[in-house]
């Protein structure tokens, strides 16, 4: 089991090696080494002077590789893009070319040192452009119309595979007559096929059970719905025991908090106390200035990003109802955003999910005024939102429904 101290040492070793390689290239190999060092700091930077078009192509490849890494855990693509940039940077410098003096070199070093953060900026810009695109009137109207045509749980098959698994897991928490529907959704062949593709692209895995590693959302759904046999459940518990946060990854390397919380609920129902995950909610995924990190990269133990409001609310309400969070700070951070979503209505899936999860948080926090406002929209389109809303009704009848074995439920009474 890898502890926090081990991760800290690993980060220091990686950072030290990275700095040593850049310093060696810069100081020992002249002008060519400087181009290589710039390429290490930011893919394509070492080609700007000699091959600007090639530099742009390296940057584009890095952006695509980074998005694939964030989405599917394909970290080898980022390493490949960076390695290709370094090699091309070295080859692009004409033989016999020398550095142009200490002043020029100093400026190049200063510029290169500030280029690496642009990788994160590019990813943020891509997310911003996506959000901006959804605000274009014609596109927004099309997305809204498509959303309104969904008929709740009857259209679960229209969701992406990850959200299907999340819907199945939440329905399993509701239980009762929905258990059969939850089990059917959890066993969706498209979920398994996605896991197979991700395993192949990210880790070159072929053959065998595609869910034997990672894919927290799918494995949590199978465990919570009872579709996982004893061997599969034991493997899930063993994987959580090996992970530093006591959960499993959603995609290779990446821990997503909503999926991790569902896994923690699954193993707790099997009699395992998810103590490391409950600690992670207050440490690695702690609330900071109104936000919780969107992900945590396991190899170096680095977390960043900001969860979408609906995902933050859903994670917080599940953990709060399970007794793992004993404060109302998440609700205080999300209250204004949730009420804004309630005022807009349920024409967007993210708003509908946020409203459903916020109803649970508001009730657990005893905020009756907000509860009345959140109760106005009817949650009926998005299947995952409907599942969360059904869970709210379940908690109204049984406030301790999510309290894991061995952990005390929240002391506050849940009201619908």
């Amino acid at each position: 089991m890898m502890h926090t101290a081990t991760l800290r040492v690993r980060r220091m070793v990686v950072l030290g090696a990275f700095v040593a390689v850049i310093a060696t290239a810069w100081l020992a190999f002249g002008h060519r080494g400087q181009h290589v060092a710039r390429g290490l700091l930011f893919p394509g930077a070492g080609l700007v002077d000699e091959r600007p078009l090639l530099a742009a192509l390296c940057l584009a490849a890095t952006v695509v590789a980074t998005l694939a890494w964030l989405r599917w855990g394909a970290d080898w693509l980022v390493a490949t893009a960076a390695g290709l940039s370094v090699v091309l940077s070295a080859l692009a410098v004409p033989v016999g070319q020398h550095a142009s003096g200490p002043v020029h070199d100093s400026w190049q070093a200063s510029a290169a040192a500030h280029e690496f953060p642009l990788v994160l900026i590019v990813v943020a810009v891509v997310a911003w452009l996506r959000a901006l695109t959804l605000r274009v009137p014609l596109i927004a109207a099309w997305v809204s119309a498509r959303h309104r045509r969904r008929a709740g749980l009857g259209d679960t098959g229209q969701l992406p595979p990850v959200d299907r698994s999340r819907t199945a897991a939440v329905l399993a928490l509701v239980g009762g007559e929905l258990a059969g529907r939850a089990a059917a959704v959890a066993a969706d062949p498209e979920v398994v096929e996605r896991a197979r593709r991700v395993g192949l692209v990210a880790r070159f895995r072929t053959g065998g059970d595609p869910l034997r590693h990672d894919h927290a959302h799918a494995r949590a759904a199978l465990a919570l719905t009872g579709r996982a046999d004893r061997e599969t459940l034991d493997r899930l518990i063993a994987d959580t025991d090996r992970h530093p946060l006591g959960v499993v990854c959603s995609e290779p390397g990446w821990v997503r908090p909503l999926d991790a919380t569902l896994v923690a609920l699954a193993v707790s129902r099997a009699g395992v106390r998810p103590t490391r995950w409950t600690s992670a909610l207050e440490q690695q995924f702690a609330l900071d200035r109104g936000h919780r990190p969107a992900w945590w990269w396991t190899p170096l133990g680095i977390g960043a990003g900001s969860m979408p409001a609906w995902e933050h609310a859903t994670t917080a309400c599940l953990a709060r109802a399970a007794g793992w969070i004993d404060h109302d700070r998440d609700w205080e951070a999300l209250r204004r955003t949730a009420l804004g979503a309630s005022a807009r209505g349920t024409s967007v899936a993210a708003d509908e999910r946020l409203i459903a999860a916020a109803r649970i948080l508001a009730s657990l926090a005893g905020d009756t005024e907000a509860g009345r406002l959140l109760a106005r929209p009817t949650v009926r389109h998005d299947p995952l939102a409907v599942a969360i809303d059904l869970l709210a009704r379940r908690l109204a009848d049984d406030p301790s429904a999510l309290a894991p074995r061995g952990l005390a439920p929240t002391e506050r009474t849940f009201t619908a």
Side-chain angles (χ1 to χ4, degrees):
M1 182 178 64
M2 188 184 304
H3 298 285
T4 303
T6 306
L7 289 172
R8 190 178 297 113
V9 170
R10 177 177 288 191
R11 286 196 295 267
M12 293 175 62
V13 170
V14 170
L15 178 61
F18 184 67
V19 171
V21 169
I22 291 177
T24 301
W26 192 275
L27 299 174
F29 295 97
H31 194 65
R32 188 184 298 274
Q34 294 167 13
H35 279 260
V36 170
R38 293 170 64 191
L40 281 169
L41 284 167
F42 186 72
L47 295 164
V48 172
D49 296 338
E50 307 293 341
R51 300 287 190 274
L53 180 59
L54 196 56
L57 291 175
C58 281
L59 174 60
T62 302
V63 171
V64 173
T66 302
L67 292 176
W69 176 38
L70 290 168
R71 188 175 181 84
W72 301 310
D75 42 20
W76 66 271
L77 281 174
V78 179
T80 300
L84 182 63
S85 171
V86 170
V87 172
L88 292 176
S89 297
L91 296 177
V93 180
V95 177
Q97 183 171 339
H98 300 286
S100 54
V103 175
H104 178 69
D105 290 345
S106 177
W107 178 86
Q108 282 189 327
S110 177
H114 290 82
E115 284 170 338
F116 180 71
L118 290 178
V119 175
L120 296 178
I121 294 175
V122 167
V123 175
V125 167
V126 170
W128 177 78
L129 287 175
R130 180 181 179 185
L132 183 65
T133 301
L134 294 176
R135 291 190 178 95
V136 175
L138 288 178
I139 297 177
W142 176 76
V143 171
S144 178
R146 184 183 178 189
H147 169 70
R148 286 195 299 268
R149 285 196 295 269
R150 288 181 176 173
L153 297 180
D155 284 334
T156 304
Q158 294 184 20
L159 293 175
V162 171
D163 284 341
R164 291 183 213 176
S165 293
R166 291 168 171 170
T167 301
V170 174
L171 288 176
L173 295 173
V174 177
E177 60 184 15
L178 294 171
R181 184 191 292 266
V185 176
D188 193 321
E190 289 191 32
V191 174
V192 179
E193 183 57 33
R194 178 191 181 274
R196 192 184 307 279
R197 290 196 303 269
V198 170
L200 178 62
V201 171
R203 291 294 183 269
F204 306 103
R205 294 170 182 156
T206 58
D209 180 9
L211 297 177
R212 64 188 182 275
H213 301 293
D214 309 310
H215 310 293
H217 39 79
R219 296 172 73 183
L222 291 172
L224 287 168
T225 58
R227 293 300 298 262
D229 56 29
R230 188 68 240 181
E231 180 182 355
T232 302
L233 185 58
D234 287 343
R235 188 165 64 240
L236 175 63
I237 294 172
D239 287 347
T240 61
D241 186 58
R242 284 190 292 266
H243 196 277
L245 301 188
V247 290
V248 295
C249 297
S250 295
E251 289 82 33
W254 295 111
V255 174
R256 318 283 183 187
L258 176 54
D259 301 331
T261 300
L262 292 171
V263 167
L265 285 167
V267 297
S268 69
R269 291 197 165 191
V272 178
R273 292 170 61 90
T275 51
R276 271 179 287 158
W277 178 243
T278 59
S279 297
L281 288 170
E282 300 300 334
Q283 295 178 24
Q284 290 86 350
F285 284 94
L287 190 67
D288 182 24
R289 288 175 290 183
H291 300 279
R292 288 183 184 268
W295 45 260
W296 195 77
W297 195 45
T298 301
L300 292 183
I302 297 174
S306 178
M307 273 193 282
W310 76 265
E311 191 172 337
H312 180 176
T314 306
T315 301
C317 75
L318 292 174
R320 183 79 169 82
W324 302 336
I325 296 176
D326 59 359
H327 56 74
D328 299 324
R329 293 195 296 272
D330 288 278
W331 170 238
E332 293 165 2
L334 291 164
R335 188 180 193 275
R336 183 175 179 179
T337 304
L339 293 179
S342 178
R344 289 190 297 270
T346 58
S347 60
V348 177
D351 284 347
E352 199 168 25
R353 295 174 185 180
L354 174 57
I355 292 167
R359 289 174 177 173
I360 299 176
L361 282 177
S363 186
L364 290 172
D367 193 338
T368 55
E369 179 184 356
R372 284 194 298 269
L373 296 174
L374 290 167
R376 291 177 179 177
T378 301
V379 175
R380 63 176 182 272
H381 300 297
D382 180 71
L384 179 51
V386 172
I388 298 170
D389 199 48
L390 289 170
L391 179 61
R393 300 178 191 179
R394 169 70 192 283
L395 289 171
D397 296 332
D398 181 8
S400 63
L402 299 191
R405 187 177 304 171
L407 293 179
T410 176
E411 295 179 355
R412 293 186 177 174
T413 301
F414 186 96
T415 57

